[in-house]
C-alpha cells in the first residue's frame, strides 16, 4: 500500500537530516496518514479512506465529503475517491431531475 493521501494526493517528500556538525544525510518526510470513515450525505453511506490529518481538516472546513469532492480536481484524487465523486454527482443529478419533473 502506498503512502499517499486518497484526497489530496500528498506523498512522501525527500530531504536532508542535518546534524549539529551540518552533515546532511538523505531522509524521507512521510505524510501523517490515518484511516478514517467519512459519510456521504447524498449517497447515505460511509466510505473508508486513507487520508492525511490535514485533508481531514479540509473536509470539515468545506462542509463534508460531498462538498470537498465537488471542489477537488480529478488529477489529485485516488481512483477510489474519483469513483465516489462520480457516484455523488450522478445521485445529485438524478435528485435534481426528479425535483424538476
Amino acid at each position: 500500500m502506498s503512502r499517499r493521501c486518497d484526497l489530496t494526493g500528498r506523498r512522501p517528500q525527500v530531504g536532508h537530516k542535518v546534524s549539529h556538525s551540518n552533515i546532511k544525510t538523505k531522509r524521507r518526510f512521510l505524510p501523517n496518514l490515518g484511516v478514517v470513515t467519512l459519510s456521504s450525505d447524498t449517497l447515505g453511506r460511509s466510505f473508508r479512506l486513507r487520508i492525511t490529518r490535514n485533508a481531514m481538516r479540509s473536509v470539515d472546513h468545506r462542509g463534508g465529503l460531498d462538498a470537498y469532492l465537488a471542489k477537488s480536481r480529478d488529477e489529485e484524487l485516488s481512483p477510489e475517491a474519483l469513483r465516489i465523486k462520480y457516484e455523488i454527482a450522478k445521485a445529485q443529478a438524478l435528485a435534481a431531475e426528479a425535483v424538476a419533473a
Side-chain angles (χ1 to χ4, degrees):
M1 185 184 300
S2 66
R3 289 189 166 107
R4 184 176 188 272
C5 178
D6 287 336
L7 297 181
T8 61
R10 183 162 291 213
R11 295 177 173 206
Q13 294 179 329
V14 178
H16 289 104
K17 181 178 2 177
V18 181
S19 67
H20 180 67
S21 62
N22 208 24
I23 295 172
K24 295 169 184 69
T25 54
K26 287 280 203 177
R27 64 158 289 188
R28 286 170 37 127
F29 293 93
L30 300 177
N32 187 12
L33 292 174
V35 177
V36 296
T37 303
L38 298 173
S39 61
S40 170
D41 297 331
T42 305
L43 299 176
R45 51 185 271 227
S46 299
F47 300 96
R48 284 175 52 98
L49 296 171
R50 192 169 188 217
I51 64 173
T52 59
R53 300 304 176 184
N54 191 24
M56 199 160 72
R57 292 181 66 208
S58 297
V59 168
D60 288 341
H61 178 73
R62 286 192 185 171
L65 181 65
D66 298 347
Y68 182 87
L69 290 175
K71 285 189 171 185
S72 62
R73 295 192 324 246
D74 291 349
E75 298 87 38
E76 63 189 21
L77 295 175
S78 70
E80 175 69 17
L82 200 58
R83 184 184 61 78
I84 296 168
K85 179 180 180 177
Y86 290 145
E87 282 184 30
I88 291 170
K90 189 181 204 180
Q92 288 174 344
L94 287 174
E97 186 177 297
V99 169

